[in-house]
Structures are given as C-alpha cells and as structure tokens.
Amino acid sequence: MTSPKIYLDHNATTRLDKNVLEAMLPFFTDCYENPGSSHLAGLTANEHLENASWQVADLIGSQPEEVVFTSGATESVNLAIRGISNGERNHLITLSTEHKAVLDTVTDHAGKNNLSCSILPVRRDGLADPDLLEQTITDKTLLVSVMLVNNETGTVQDIKKISEMAHAKGAFLLCDATQAVGKIPVNVRDLGVDLMAFSAHKFYGPKGVGALYISNAIKKHLTVGITGGGQQKNRRSGTLNVPGIIGMAKACEIAKKIMDQHASHVKKLRDHLESELLKIEGTSVNGSVENRIFNTSNILFKNVFSEQLIMALQHISVSSGSACSSVTTEPSHVLKSLGLSDEDALCSIRFSLGKDNTKEEIDIAVKRISELVEQFRKG
C-alpha cells in the first residue's frame, strides 16, 4: 500500500486552491480572447484584467496602475534591478541571505554596467545589521534590495526601518516579498517600499504569474523592461497571461479573507513540529526564532546529511533550502551567512507548512524523521 503524501515544502510552491482553478477555467475556454483586441470580446477580457488588478492591489495596499504583471518574482526582480536609474547614482546594496534571483541579478547587472555593489553580511540570527547598512548607504546609492521574509529560515526583516534609511540618503528600496504576500499583512505604503516583487504560486495561486509593484512616485526612474507591443503602459510588453492573472487575483482575494485563520492554524502545527523535533539530540533551529514567519522552521540535525534524509523520507516532502538551488549539493549560502559550517549547512532541513496540513501529518513526519536520524547516526 502506498503511503499518503505529506507535503511540508510550501515555501517552494503551494497546491492550487480549487476555487482559484474554478475562477481560471472560463478564461481557457469561454473568455479566451486577447485583452489587447479592440472588439467586444477583447474589451470584455480586458475588463476582467482590470478587475484583477484591483484585487491584487487591494491585497498589498497599492493602486492598480502600480501593479505590473509578470511571469513571477524572478522576472519582477530582474525588471526592477536592471531597469532602475537615477542620475549619477551607481551603487547597489543587498544582503548575503537574499534569494539567488536578487544576488545573481545584482552582481550580473553591476558587472555589466560598471556599477559598484555591496553584498552585506547579516547577524547570526539572519537579521540585517542596521548600523552597517546605514554606514553603507551613501549619496551614490541607487538601490537597496532586501527581502521581507527569507525563503529558507523565515526570518522577517524590518523593511520599514530599512526603507527609512534608504530614503534618507535618496536611494530606492526593492523588496522581494515572495514569501510574505498572501501569508502575512503586506502594505506597500506602510513599509515604504518603492518596488516589490511577488509570485502567485507561493499562496495557492498558479505558477508562471507574478507581479512587480512600482510606486507611482518612481515610475519615471524605471526604464522599459520588455519592448514589443506596449502592453501594461509599456512597462512589460507581450500578450498577458489572462487565466494566470485571474487566478492570481482570486488567490489574493482568498488570502485576504483567510489570512488570520491560516496563520493561527499553521503556527500551531509548526510549533508542534519544531518542539517535537528539538527533542532529538543534536538538533537546533537555524536563524531567528523571534523574528520569523509562522510557517517556517529550519532545523539542523547534527551529523545527518539532509540529502540522505530527504531521499529516505520518500512521500514526506521537505527541503534542504531554496527550490531554485536544489539541483546542487552545495551548502546553503543563507545558512553559511548565519555562520554555519559547510557540514552543518548540509545537515539542515527546511520545513514549511501550509493551510491543508494536519496534526496527524505532523506526528507521522516527526516519528519517521526521529527513526531515520537515529538509524543514520548509528550507521
């Protein structure tokens, strides 16, 4: 008999909500027209897109014209970093714990365009060092890029404070909010961000669609990212993914309604999972315990390689870090930035829970992990 699947890797992706799927289906079959067409059916499709823009904007506290739809957060990050300019400013700043979408884009863009780049270390708890950050931002700094919630440890940065530092020196702030939007309250006005990237599939929406928030105040500083047909006010040309955008909007609508209930349920499960796993000798939590999102726990299992444990767990899905870096066996750059050795980083597991997980699933996972850790250590 096949064991039931237990999915504890929601920071990698989430299962499409059935209500989101239902909302999307008519736009594959009935309302399939191009929203750029001038006939009645095209105008109708465009009207649905406008309504979707309002729903997405409502979740993040922006205006609909400040939302540009993309293929996901990675594209959004690229459009922001590669497109921003402001006079003679030529300095980019980010943190060593950022997602590779930010780190690789910052270093590549800086190298190709003769820009200076500062990749700052973080404290052992994963939080930015405010004194170091403030010292590094100068009147030449163009952009500071800091993620709201870390995808591996769940650490939550004080983005509002960081935005105040950046703006005090005339710099812009890009926030990768991929692991935050749809899970916790995110308001671009309150946070003070100029640019913000996020993806639908992290909060039960479809893959292949995301958005870039561009503050109306800085639009003149962002050049066209993709040229072609001039769609989305010439910010990102190309025929829009109507079903995906409709699905993203529906996911935003649902997230706003269930956010508090979702957080309460998942946090109880995460805390139970963590407390039980920490009873195993040689275990500890990586990153901040106080400043982190409710669904994530990154745990070090001393002397047990995560790759071996993940394979042995079979139907229980967990991760050793970012899904985008899972093709390598290199130690996590995030965990190494927190001061872990290569070996300890390679012995760490990320657990990220979702709204459909149950206590029964958690108990099964804990029991199996405990057995395997003991087995591997004896072996």
Side-chain angles (χ1 to χ4, degrees):
M1 181 177 175
T2 304
S3 299
K5 181 167 70 174
I6 297 175
Y7 187 72
L8 305 176
D9 195 23
H10 289 81
N11 284 7
T13 196
T14 56
R15 179 169 61 186
L16 189 70
D17 187 290
K18 64 179 182 180
N19 294 305
V20 171
L21 177 60
E22 289 175 6
M24 294 173 66
L25 287 176
F27 294 88
F28 288 108
T29 56
D30 299 326
C31 190
Y32 56 84
E33 292 81 10
N34 191 322
S37 298
S38 58
H39 48 64
L40 180 59
L43 294 173
T44 301
N46 188 62
E47 186 176 348
H48 285 291
L49 280 182
E50 290 181 357
N51 290 336
S53 296
W54 277 101
Q55 287 179 297
V56 175
D58 183 55
L59 182 66
I60 64 171
S62 76
Q63 295 299 313
E65 67 270 15
E66 295 175 307
V67 175
V68 173
F69 291 108
T70 66
S71 63
T74 296
E75 183 191 339
S76 297
V77 162
N78 272 265
L79 291 175
I81 293 172
R82 298 182 190 279
I84 197 72
S85 62
N86 188 13
E88 298 299 314
R89 289 178 177 263
N90 60 0
H91 180 218
L92 308 176
I93 299 175
T94 191
L95 302 182
S96 60
T97 50
E98 293 294 300
H99 192 281
K100 286 292 187 180
V102 168
L103 290 172
D104 289 354
T105 306
V106 163
T107 53
D108 179 73
H109 181 59
K112 290 178 177 176
N113 294 277
N114 199 29
L115 306 176
S116 62
C117 174
S118 299
I119 299 177
L120 304 182
V122 296
R123 303 186 321 202
R124 193 169 181 85
D125 61 3
L127 291 170
D129 181 333
D131 295 331
L132 176 61
L133 186 57
E134 192 165 31
Q135 292 165 14
T136 308
I137 303 172
T138 72
D139 59 3
K140 288 293 185 181
T141 302
L142 169 63
L143 184 69
V144 178
S145 182
V146 178
M147 68 199 319
L148 179 50
V149 175
N150 188 272
N151 54 301
E152 294 193 28
T153 63
T155 300
V156 180
Q157 299 286 352
D158 189 346
I159 294 298
K160 186 172 184 177
K161 183 175 181 179
I162 294 171
S163 72
E164 290 170 354
M165 289 182 191
H167 293 155
K169 297 287 183 68
F172 300 127
L173 180 71
L174 164 63
C175 179
D176 172 5
T178 308
Q179 296 294 343
V181 171
K183 298 178 185 177
I184 59 175
V186 174
N187 186 293
V188 292
R189 307 282 186 233
D190 292 344
L191 292 175
V193 300
D194 301 295
L195 299 151
M196 189 176 78
F198 54 107
S199 287
H201 76 103
K202 302 295 186 179
F203 55 101
Y204 310 98
K207 296 176 181 65
V209 62
L212 174 64
Y213 159 75
I214 306 171
S215 166
N216 280 325
I218 72 151
K219 282 187 175 179
K220 64 181 180 181
H221 298 288
L222 199 69
T223 58
V224 176
I226 299 176
T227 55
Q231 288 89 345
Q232 301 197 81
K233 296 183 172 61
N234 211 33
R235 294 292 174 191
R236 193 251 192 189
S237 291
T239 301
L240 288 165
N241 174 8
V242 178
I245 292 169
I246 295 298
M248 183 176 188
K250 187 64 177 180
C252 288
E253 177 189 332
I254 294 170
K256 189 166 186 178
K257 290 178 181 177
I258 70 166
M259 195 174 291
D260 291 343
Q261 176 187 345
H262 174 198
S264 176
H265 167 69
V266 175
K267 185 178 185 304
K268 287 177 184 175
L269 294 180
R270 191 278 310 271
D271 290 349
H272 175 58
L273 169 76
E274 188 172 277
S275 64
E276 291 301 308
L277 290 178
L278 291 178
K279 292 176 182 178
I280 301 171
E281 186 178 352
T283 58
S284 57
V285 175
N286 296 319
S288 175
V289 174
E290 294 81 15
N291 298 289
R292 62 174 168 164
I293 198 165
F294 60 84
N295 81 315
T296 306
S297 180
N298 195 301
I299 298 180
L300 164 63
F301 297 88
K302 275 280 189 180
N303 304 317
V304 178
F305 285 110
S306 58
E307 185 178 5
Q308 185 180 20
L309 184 55
I310 290 168
M311 293 301 294
L313 284 170
Q314 296 181 334
H315 68 285
I316 302 174
S317 301
V318 296
S319 171
S320 58
S322 171
C324 301
S325 303
S326 63
V327 293
T328 73
T329 54
E330 293 293 315
S332 160
H333 73 280
V334 172
L335 298 184
K336 288 189 68 176
S337 295
L338 304 188
L340 272 71
S341 66
D342 283 4
E343 181 176 341
D344 283 351
L346 288 168
C347 292
S348 296
I349 295 283
R350 179 188 71 182
F351 302 89
S352 48
L353 282 60
K355 63 180 182 178
D356 297 322
N357 286 134
T358 65
K359 184 176 182 297
E360 181 184 13
E361 290 179 330
I362 300 305
D363 289 337
I364 293 171
V366 167
K367 184 175 184 295
R368 184 61 181 143
I369 292 167
S370 301
E371 292 170 349
L372 287 170
V373 169
E374 181 180 4
Q375 177 185 321
F376 291 148
R377 283 176 176 166
K378 283 182 179 178

